[in-house]
């Protein structure tokens, strides 16, 4: 492509922490596994007109590489092994793995290659898509508007929480994937760091390094999805994914994502050993209060004190929703709130994009996400969805989209 543009991404660490954490586990365990991921816009936006500029940005990503300073930063963290970091230092994005096109007005993106490489495309590519589109739709500098909006929300939060002990409230920035821009995310997180004492970290490794914040994140749906084809027995795939994660990270990064095959199916697999060793659970779909009550009841049923565990809420949160959940649960279990789009793309007059990139195949075979929110489910292979539902004893009534 010949578009003369500046790169949106300037650091290979401008991605979510769970991507590197999963990538290391894939590098060690599934080096020869292949994967395919596809873009979806959950809204009705016709984004195909931006395909050429997005493609040009993808081509520029081939120049991203781990710097010496970034290598030293990662080496100082307890999560990473030197063999993986040496490989990551040599890693380069291969734009040939990505097909991007305008398909009847819709943005069509498909990524195929070794899973250890495909896994790193999702978050930075979504950030690129979001920034390309937002700067065309709202080309003015919006950082001041974003900060004004944030300050209003923080004042409202302080006022609304005066009647409750808020000392155990914990916030994480989860805003990379659908941010308005890289600069807006930096400005917003910097403001939180200065003026919101409940910020405990960011999912963005580049921001964590630059702002001396704690990087946070464990695994995503694709970890569980891939095991649907990696595991010899489909019904055992979720337990296999949980076990493999503990093998890679036996004493850390122990927050398990629960909704790849619904919370109820997850809890059936999340027995005493897993519940004891994992530090907690993450909510990403379905009714959050119902989910939290199920989690607490499950811990109690197993004889585990919920106050020794943590629930991470991360589904379409804003400050009001987070405070309401805190009020409901704070005396019964530890709580963390990951707010994304409502932090980094909450600007008057700007409509955030509801976009995702999800794993659709592993080793050339279908994988599925059967969310607790039907609109978040993903798989076009109806036969595989039926097999998955049967394997996990789920009713065959919901349709994956």
């Amino acid at each position: 492509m010949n578009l003369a543009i500046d790169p949106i991404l300037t650091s290979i660490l401008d991605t979510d922490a769970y991507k590197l954490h999963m990538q290391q586990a894939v590098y060690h365990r599934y080096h020869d596994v292949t994967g395919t991921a596809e873009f979806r816009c959950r809204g009705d936006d016709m984004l195909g007109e931006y395909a050429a500029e997005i493609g040009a940005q993808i081509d520029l990503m081939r120049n991203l590489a781990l710097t010496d300073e970034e290598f030293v930063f990662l080496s100082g963290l307890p999560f990473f092994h030197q063999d993986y970091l040496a490989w990551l230092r040599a890693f380069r994005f291969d734009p040939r793995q990505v097909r991007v096109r305008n398909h009847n007005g819709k943005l069509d993106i498909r990524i195929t290659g070794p899973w250890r490489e495909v896994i790193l495309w999702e978050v930075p590519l979504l950030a690129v898509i979001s920034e390309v589109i937002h700067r065309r739709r709202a080309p003015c500098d919006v950082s001041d508007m974003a900060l004004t909006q944030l300050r209003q929300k923080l004042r409202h939060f302080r006022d609304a929480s005066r009647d409750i002990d808020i000392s155990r409230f914990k916030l994480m920035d989860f805003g990379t994937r659908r941010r308005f821009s890289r600069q807006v995310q930096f400005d917003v997180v910097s403001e939180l760091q200065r003026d919101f004492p409940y910020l405990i970290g960011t999912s963005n490794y580049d921001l964590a390094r630059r702002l001396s914040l704690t990087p946070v994140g464990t695994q995503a749906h694709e970890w569980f999805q891939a095991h649907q084809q990696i595991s010899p027995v489909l019904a055992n795939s979720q337990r296999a994914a949980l076990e493999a994660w503990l093998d890679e990270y036996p004493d850390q990064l122990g927050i398990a994502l629960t909704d790849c095959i619904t919370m109820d199916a997850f809890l059936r697999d999340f027995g005493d050993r897993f519940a004891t060793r994992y530090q907690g659970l993450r909510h990403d779909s379905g009714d959050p209060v119902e989910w939290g009550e199920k989690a607490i009841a499950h811990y109690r049923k197993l004889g585990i004190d919920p106050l020794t565990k943590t629930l991470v809420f991360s589904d379409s949160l804003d400050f009001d929703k987070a405070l309401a959940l805190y009020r409901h649960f704070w005396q019964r279990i530890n709580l963390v709130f990951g707010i994304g789009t409502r932090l980094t793309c909450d600007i008057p007059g700007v409509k955030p994009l509801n976009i995702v990139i999800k794993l659709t195949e592993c080793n050339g075979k279908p994988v599925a996400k059967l969310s607790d929110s039907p609109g978040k489910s993903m798989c076009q292979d109806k036969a595989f969805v039926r097999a998955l539902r049967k394997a996990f004893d789920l009713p065959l009534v919901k349709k994956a989209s």
Side-chain angles (χ1 to χ4, degrees), residues 18-19 22 36-42 54 58 61 98-99 107-112 118-130 177-178 220-222 225 354-360 369 378:
Y18 67 8
K19 281 296 176 175
M22 290 190 296
T36 295
E38 296 181 7
F39 171 84
R40 293 283 188 276
C41 180
R42 291 173 175 157
I54 291 166
I58 290 170
M61 288 174 66
V98 185
R99 184 199 71 194
L107 183 61
D108 179 18
I109 298 176
R110 181 179 173 92
I111 309 161
T112 302
V118 168
I119 202 169
L120 211 59
W121 279 103
E122 176 195 349
V123 174
L125 183 47
L126 287 172
V128 161
I129 293 167
S130 188
R177 294 183 303 159
R178 300 177 190 133
H221 297 100
E222 70 180 291
Q225 287 177 280
N354 192 355
I355 54 176
V356 296
I357 293 174
K358 293 295 182 183
L359 199 70
T360 57
K369 174 190 173 190
M378 234 179 133

Side-chain angles (χ1 to χ4, degrees), residues 114-163:
W115 185 26
R116 66 185 187 275
E117 298 177 9
V118 168
I119 202 169
L120 211 59
W121 279 103
E122 176 195 349
V123 174
L125 183 47
L126 287 172
V128 161
I129 293 167
S130 188
E131 184 158 349
V132 164
I133 292 169
H134 284 311
R135 72 184 183 186
R136 294 303 180 197
R137 293 179 172 178
C140 61
D141 183 3
V142 302
S143 286
D144 289 344
M145 296 169 62
L147 291 178
T148 297
Q149 185 86 336
L150 176 63
R151 289 163 187 155
Q152 291 174 351
K153 287 187 288 188
L154 295 184
R155 285 195 295 269
H156 174 74
F157 180 88
R158 294 186 188 100
D159 291 341
S161 61
R162 291 188 189 281
D163 64 330

Side-chain angles (χ1 to χ4, degrees), residues 291-308:
W291 176 90
E293 293 293 352
K294 286 182 179 181
I296 290 172
H298 188 72
Y299 282 127
R300 286 176 174 162
K301 178 181 177 182
L302 295 174
I304 296 172
D305 181 0
L307 286 171
T308 65

Side-chain angles (χ1 to χ4, degrees), residues 14 23 77 91 127 144-145 150 192 225 229 241 344 375 381 401:
D14 193 2
Q23 188 184 48
L77 297 171
F91 171 83
D144 289 344
M145 296 169 62
L150 176 63
L192 287 169
Q225 287 177 280
Q229 294 299 344
T344 59
D381 190 309
S401 61

